[in-house]
Amino acid sequence: MDQVGDRAVITSRILDAPAGSGIRPLLVTSTPSRVSCHITAGSVEEAARAPHEAFDLPLEAPEPAASIPGTAS
């Protein structure tokens, strides 16, 4: 099964995104489904935005879907 840790291109983009803003991780760890970067507290907001921009992801969570008729709420 292809997972994040197995895909060098994804891992590279995740690590390069904050580096483009001058943010260097203090520690990087990975598992097959996750890449974690430990950074200084003052860089958290900017570092969190960087991968969203690199992967063209929305910064805000989508609104919850309305309940589907015929299902329990």
Side-chain angles (χ1 to χ4, degrees):
M1 171 182 242
D2 247 358
Q3 296 184 349
V4 173
D6 298 333
R7 313 227 20 220
V9 173
I10 293 173
T11 303
S12 176
R13 284 177 70 185
I14 289 169
L15 296 175
D16 288 346
S21 299
I23 300 169
R24 302 277 181 224
L26 303 173
L27 175 70
V28 176
T29 59
S30 65
T31 66
S33 61
R34 180 177 304 184
V35 176
S36 298
C37 299
H38 299 263
I39 58 170
T40 60
S43 301
V44 170
E45 286 188 37
E46 189 173 355
R49 277 193 298 271
H52 285 85
E53 292 170 2
F55 289 95
D56 197 27
L57 301 170
L59 289 173
E60 298 294 324
E63 291 295 320
S67 62
I68 300 170
T71 63
S73 354

